Amino acid sequence: MDAELADVLDTCWRLLGRGAADRRSPMHTPVVASVDADGRPQARVMVLRAADRATARLRFHTDARSPKCAELDGAAVAVTLYHPGEAIQLRLAGAARVVTDGAEVDRIWAAATDFARRAYLVEAAPGTPLPGPGSGLPAGVDGRKPEAPELVPARANFALVMLDIGEIDWLHLAQDGHRRALFTLGDGGWAAGWCVP
Ligand SMILES: Cc1cc2nc3c(=O)[nH]c(=O)nc-3n(C[C@H](O)[C@H](O)[C@H](O)COP(=O)(O)O)c2cc1C
């Protein structure tokens, strides 16, 4: 890979790392797209929780009962991010895995705030119809910070979505000429090339 493409790849991972670490980054909330059982595209915003360059892996959190889990687990997934300040779009493609058990899930759950954990107390799967507007939370914890014992049942609903990135499509918009590069991860590391924007 030439030096200019290597710089672009560095930028991609810098922006992804910042997107995960900084909730004010526009790359903190990418769109994650999958395909449902009927072959229809499904796209939704998810918070980017971690981006690790060494493993080319992204991490998201979700409710294990949500329809997206079945769509994402073991499937090809696309993630789109846009940084207006940098005028950079990243389109990532990879393979996802949903993880609900194990030391890593336990560690991340233990580090979450009580308010974040409360979201996983909703009584029915996300998307379940309600008779009227509502949070879906048990009446007792709606509108207040739950106590630790009340959060115990929420753990079973917490899932990590791990996404192994295999391809990065970088697009930079500029008045003096747009630029686009494609990075593909193979056995020998990242291969790169320019393409027409
Ligand atoms: C700013 C923002 C951040 C969100 N972050 C997450 C998230 O991290 N995990 C998640 O499961 N849903 C998140 N959502 C909700 C999803 O976009 C979606 O509405 C919900 O998870 C249901 O998706 P599904 O029906 O495809 O399972 C977020 C929504 C917004 C607007």
Side-chain angles (χ1 to χ4, degrees):
M1 186 184 317
D2 71 30
E4 200 175 347
L5 284 164
D7 278 352
V8 172
L9 187 58
D10 287 347
T11 299
C12 292
W13 284 106
R14 179 176 55 77
L15 291 176
L16 290 170
R18 183 82 190 267
D22 180 359
R23 57 204 297 268
R24 288 162 306 173
S25 162
M27 291 196 162
H28 191 57
T29 46
V31 174
V32 178
S34 53
V35 177
D36 70 17
D38 298 323
R40 297 182 308 172
Q42 297 286 350
R44 80 285 289 163
V45 172
M46 294 181 80
V47 171
L48 178 60
R49 306 286 175 172
D52 181 41
R53 180 173 185 168
T55 55
R57 183 170 292 170
L58 306 186
R59 173 164 54 83
F60 301 90
H61 298 172
T62 195
D63 190 308
R65 300 165 295 174
S66 67
K68 74 173 79 54
C69 278
E71 295 167 18
L72 294 170
D73 195 27
V77 170
V79 176
T80 303
L81 314 95
Y82 179 57
H83 195 303
E86 306 259 359
I88 289 174
Q89 172 183 262
L90 298 180
R91 297 167 71 197
L92 314 176
R97 201 164 38 90
V98 175
V99 187
T100 54
D101 291 311
E104 186 174 21
V105 193
D106 290 340
R107 179 180 55 75
I108 291 165
W109 177 253
T113 66
D114 287 345
F115 273 120
R117 291 188 226 183
R118 188 182 65 170
Y120 298 91
L121 276 179
V122 290
E123 291 175 302
T128 303
L130 290 172
S135 68
L137 288 169
V141 298
D142 212 353
R144 72 168 171 85
K145 184 172 168 299
E147 301 301 327
E150 293 174 301
L151 287 166
V152 172
R155 166 64 186 84
N157 301 324
F158 179 64
L160 310 181
V161 178
M162 311 302 269
L163 182 64
D164 290 327
I165 301 298
E167 200 175 284
I168 301 176
D169 179 339
W170 168 89
L171 174 68
H172 181 234
L173 303 178
Q175 274 183 346
D176 58 353
H178 306 326
R179 295 284 184 274
R180 183 176 176 191
L182 201 62
F183 301 87
T184 309
L185 187 58
D187 290 340
W190 290 97
W194 300 103
C195 58
V196 177

